[in-house]
Amino acid sequence: MVDADGARQSGRCLLIEPDTVHRLLPAPAAELWFVEPTVGFGPPVELKNRLIRSDPIHVEMLGQRSFWKNWLTRGARPPLDPRITRAAASIDRLIPMGSVRLADVAEESRLSLGRFRHLFAAEIGMPFQRFVLWRRLIIAFDELGMRRSATEAAHMAGFSDSAHFARTIKAMFGIRASDLFIES
């Protein structure tokens, strides 16, 4: 990768802090992991051990608080409350139809809106709408990987159109949708 000053860094594992200006260079064996910076729990034990064993290089801006060092010290998420597991399945079922409303999913869980919102964030580790957005992106990226057009992928993931999908990619990852490269 190249940082904001034009310096190149490479290694088996680069942990790039959120909002750090950088440019990734092509690397055939690279794995990219995006972690929601607001997540309230740490990595699964297997991933934590893998990251630590890989002798990671922390890429950060001067004076920046380290998300990665903090995240790696947190405990993994415990098993989900069954009501939240059902809610997550409900979200995936509703996404292709477009709007996924907190009230509709809360009703299915048989919890009050306020209690559901609190329990969902505590169990999942991020607010409801942020989780829905991540699920939409995952679905759309899976569809792109199956060679669907950006418009088809956007619609299958419940985005209003490909422009909405493209704006979301830009906001979440800092890249243009046209910069995405899906390997053959």
Side-chain angles (χ1 to χ4, degrees):
M1 58 117 346
V2 178
D3 68 19
D5 298 324
R8 289 178 180 248
Q9 295 201 41
S10 64
R12 285 189 56 210
C13 180
L14 301 175
L15 300 178
I16 303 169
E17 293 295 330
D19 299 322
T20 298
V21 176
H22 67 283
R23 182 170 49 93
L24 296 176
L25 300 172
E31 286 182 44
L32 299 179
W33 290 73
F34 292 95
V35 178
E36 169 60 43
T38 63
V39 72
F41 49 82
V45 173
E46 306 82 40
L47 178 58
K48 182 178 186 173
N49 291 337
R50 184 175 165 198
L51 290 173
I52 292 169
R53 281 192 315 267
S54 68
D55 195 24
I57 297 169
H58 286 89
V59 180
E60 56 195 1
M61 295 185 295
L62 188 60
Q64 185 179 34
R65 207 179 94 182
S66 178
F67 163 78
W68 290 104
K69 289 176 184 170
N70 180 299
W71 189 62
L72 290 171
T73 63
R74 294 182 196 163
R77 180 181 69 198
L80 290 176
D81 180 301
R83 295 169 294 187
I84 300 305
T85 301
R86 286 192 306 273
S90 172
I91 290 167
D92 284 350
R93 193 174 61 254
L94 293 170
I95 279 177
M97 294 180 242
S99 180
V100 178
R101 295 174 4 133
L102 176 71
D104 295 336
V105 178
E107 186 177 306
E108 279 193 41
S109 71
R110 295 184 182 92
L111 293 169
S112 71
L113 193 61
R115 178 67 187 129
F116 175 77
R117 179 183 289 121
H118 174 77
L119 183 62
F120 188 91
E123 291 280 315
I124 296 293
M126 69 182 78
F128 179 82
Q129 287 300 77
R130 194 68 169 183
F131 178 80
V132 171
L133 183 59
W134 274 106
R135 293 299 304 149
R136 287 187 193 286
L137 287 167
I138 289 166
I139 291 167
F141 289 147
D142 285 348
E143 294 300 326
L144 287 172
M146 290 188 284
R147 297 293 188 215
R148 304 244 193 245
S149 72
T151 301
E152 288 173 314
H155 286 290
M156 293 177 102
F159 288 99
S160 54
D161 54 32
S162 58
H164 181 207
F165 178 41
R167 285 191 305 275
T168 302
I169 291 169
K170 180 70 172 171
M172 295 287 283
F173 304 111
I175 61 172
R176 296 181 317 245
S178 60
D179 293 335
L180 287 176
F181 175 76
I182 306 297
E183 227 176 80
S184 315

